[in-house]
Amino acid sequence: MPGDSLLEVMLALWLIGLAALGTMRIQLWAVRSQQSILWRTHALNLADAAAEALRAGYPATRVATEWQTRAANLLPSGGIRIIDQAPETRLIVLHWQRPAQWLSHFDPERSAADECPSNATEAIEQCVVLAVAK
């Protein structure tokens, strides 16, 4: 029948385009995941270094001030808080903001347990919490 081959070509091009869009979306998700992992690694390293400084006897205010600059340089909108949790325990909280355009249906649902301590968090705030004995 005349026109059948044109319809088949159009259908094939549509399927190829759909597959290309899916591939691009997966690549974008992979790049965002890699960047999130890099930020989390930086935060863990900063938290560990801050814990070592506290164990070495540096005052908590000095550690918070010095590590605030480091967190701001390595993490997007990064910051640090040192919270006295109990008489013998401190929490080192490093937090940062993921870009708002990263929100998508790929993000897992967040529960109250995922939120950073002592802060009303937005859905895109990320944090690393490390407990340290005084």
Side-chain angles (χ1 to χ4, degrees):
M1 212 180 224
D4 283 346
S5 60
L6 181 59
L7 185 60
E8 291 170 357
V9 168
M10 287 176 51
L11 181 61
L13 288 175
W14 182 78
L15 287 173
I16 290 170
L18 191 62
L21 286 174
T23 302
M24 287 188 290
R25 190 170 186 152
I26 290 172
Q27 288 291 328
L28 182 61
W29 176 80
V31 168
R32 288 177 179 175
S33 295
Q34 181 181 13
Q35 185 62 53
S36 291
I37 290 168
L38 181 64
W39 289 331
R40 187 166 298 278
T41 301
H42 286 314
L44 288 169
N45 288 337
L46 287 170
D48 183 53
E52 289 299 321
L54 289 173
R55 285 189 201 116
Y58 288 98
T61 54
R62 179 179 172 194
V63 172
T65 303
E66 289 182 18
W67 267 258
Q68 178 68 32
T69 305
R70 295 174 187 178
N73 288 335
L74 290 174
L75 303 170
S77 301
I80 186 171
R81 291 189 311 266
I82 299 176
I83 303 167
D84 286 328
Q85 188 72 12
E88 297 297 320
T89 307
R90 283 190 176 125
L91 293 180
I92 299 171
V93 181
L94 275 132
H95 55 91
W96 65 98
Q97 296 285 332
R98 292 186 314 174
Q101 66 267 23
W102 283 24
L103 289 178
S104 71
H105 69 276
F106 282 114
D107 290 337
E109 292 294 321
R110 291 181 51 120
S111 66
D114 294 334
E115 293 184 1
C116 298
S118 301
N119 190 18
T121 62
E122 297 177 11
I124 60 173
E125 184 169 284
Q126 302 286 295
C127 67
V128 169
V129 180
L130 180 65
V132 181
K134 288 185 182 177

